[in-house]
Amino acid sequence: MADSEMKRFPEAWQIDGAKRPVFGYCQGVVALSMLKMWKQTNNEKYYKYVEQYAEMMVDDDGKILNYDYINDKHNIDMINAGKILFDVYEQTGKPKYKKAMDMLYNAMMKHPRNSLGGFWHKEVYPWQMWLDGLYMGAPYLAQYAIVNDKPELMNDVIMQFIIVHEFMYDSVTGLYFHAWDEKKVQKWCNPQTGLSLHFWSRSIGWWFMALVDVLDFVPKNHPLRPNLIFMVKGLAQSLLKYQHDGVWYQLIGLERREGNYREATGTVMFMYSIAKAVNRGYINKKYYKISNDIFDGVIKNFIRIDKDGTINLTNCCKVAGLGGNPYRDGSFEYYINEPICENDPKGIGPFIMGCIELNK
């Protein structure tokens, strides 16, 4: 799959069909999977693919090409690709990468927050926390905290998860709602709770990956580390109730509703997260068989291999969000009618990372 993605996009900036070089979260999630491939295989081509991207995107002053965090409306998605800079800086020693990492950190310290200290998803989505945002920002900041010895930053990162669990967790299903508006004014939210209406599989996948990835950096003796592991255990257990033939539907809990469909990106995110949680000892070893069953479900339902050997991931929801213009109302009809595509980077990256965790 990694080789197929490099064939589709010979340069990493092209990922997701980008028309110009972009330091985007889609490039970030695939590039991060390539770094894991490099470490798994010791094949330099995967590292070089990422280094060439970083070299192109970051100038000698640490400025990132086509990247304007302020004018891009304090968008937490814009932090995700920064995760690749730790390895590239370690390998090259070039000061420009440290400057870029510091810039991303400083940007997040100026990022707007709700009254509890939770990061808004974007400035244009005021007072809103989305599950997606935890993956985009938290692991980056946690790694930055470790590398730069900032324990207060680690506490800030963990509090983001605690806020989400307190306000976006559903005790009936054990799942998490896609988004929460603290002011309870968005047309997409429940006016009593401020929560969006549905359990979108990919948003829960982002959240699950954020949990298992941030735990890589939380010190073993941190007093709040057990809180994160508790969330991992609970979500792994809850998700199993909604699995069908090793995969999950676009909207979880509404599998029988006409129009709902088996969706690849959320499924592969769950595959990765569960396999990694088992490997790290966060959940029972019985889940290893379950994560292998998910892999089998992915192969059966979503993988197509072309005659030339190119591997494709089908049935990917291309994009889904809330609010904006035109307005996305978060209804069932909205989620199921967003475009479905193949080889979406939001599935490719987690699929590669999940296969690595499963030694596939």
Side-chain angles (χ1 to χ4, degrees), residues 62-240:
K63 293 179 181 175
I64 298 172
L65 182 65
N66 298 327
Y67 183 97
D68 186 345
Y69 175 78
I70 302 302
N71 290 324
D72 283 335
K73 307 300 183 188
H74 296 92
N75 179 353
I76 204 167
D77 287 340
M78 303 298 287
I79 303 301
N80 187 55
K83 297 171 186 176
I84 69 171
L85 299 179
F86 294 98
D87 280 337
V88 176
Y89 177 51
E90 185 178 324
Q91 292 298 308
T92 64
K94 291 183 178 179
K96 68 178 188 175
Y97 296 122
K98 177 67 166 68
K99 293 176 185 176
M101 288 189 284
D102 291 343
M103 183 274 290
L104 294 173
Y105 160 73
N106 289 324
M108 283 308 298
M109 292 305 97
K110 297 172 185 172
H111 196 87
R113 300 174 183 245
N114 63 23
S115 67
L116 301 165
F119 294 121
W120 293 7
H121 192 64
K122 301 180 186 181
E123 187 178 350
V124 294
Y125 299 143
W127 306 103
Q128 299 166 41
M129 294 186 78
W130 295 17
L131 294 179
D132 323 28
L134 275 289
Y135 179 80
M136 304 303 163
Y140 176 81
L141 291 175
Q143 188 168 3
Y144 189 93
I146 290 297
V147 170
N148 295 281
D149 191 23
K150 291 182 175 289
E152 73 287 352
L153 176 59
M154 186 65 75
N155 293 338
D156 191 3
V157 168
I158 296 172
M159 284 309 299
Q160 304 296 317
F161 289 88
I162 290 173
I163 292 167
V164 167
H165 182 71
E166 181 175 349
F167 288 92
M168 298 169 70
Y169 174 74
D170 178 59
S171 59
V172 176
T173 61
L175 302 174
Y176 293 80
F177 290 99
H178 183 181
W180 170 57
D181 170 21
E182 184 186 23
K183 296 298 184 182
K184 305 175 183 177
V185 297
Q186 291 298 317
K187 287 184 284 184
W188 52 253
C189 79
N190 178 318
Q192 277 72 51
T193 64
L195 291 164
S196 56
L197 305 178
H198 294 294
F199 303 112
W200 179 37
S201 59
R202 183 158 77 227
S203 69
I204 299 172
W206 287 127
W207 163 254
F208 206 171
M209 293 204 301
L211 280 166
V212 296
D213 283 1
V214 88
L215 277 163
D216 286 344
F217 310 109
V218 177
K220 294 287 194 292
N221 62 351
H222 197 289
L224 294 176
R225 182 179 169 89
N227 296 54
L228 299 176
I229 294 174
F230 173 80
M231 296 175 202
V232 171
K233 287 180 176 175
L235 184 53
Q237 187 174 6
S238 298
L239 281 171
L240 293 188

Side-chain angles (χ1 to χ4, degrees), residues 35-81:
L35 290 174
K36 291 177 184 285
M37 278 291 295
W38 161 57
K39 293 171 186 176
Q40 180 80 358
T41 64
N42 291 318
N43 190 326
E44 285 284 317
K45 73 176 181 180
Y46 301 112
Y47 169 74
K48 287 298 182 185
Y49 185 71
V50 178
E51 188 195 90
Q52 287 165 5
Y53 172 60
E55 184 67 27
M56 176 187 190
M57 296 305 299
V58 182
D59 72 14
D60 288 341
D61 295 323
K63 293 179 181 175
I64 298 172
L65 182 65
N66 298 327
Y67 183 97
D68 186 345
Y69 175 78
I70 302 302
N71 290 324
D72 283 335
K73 307 300 183 188
H74 296 92
N75 179 353
I76 204 167
D77 287 340
M78 303 298 287
I79 303 301
N80 187 55

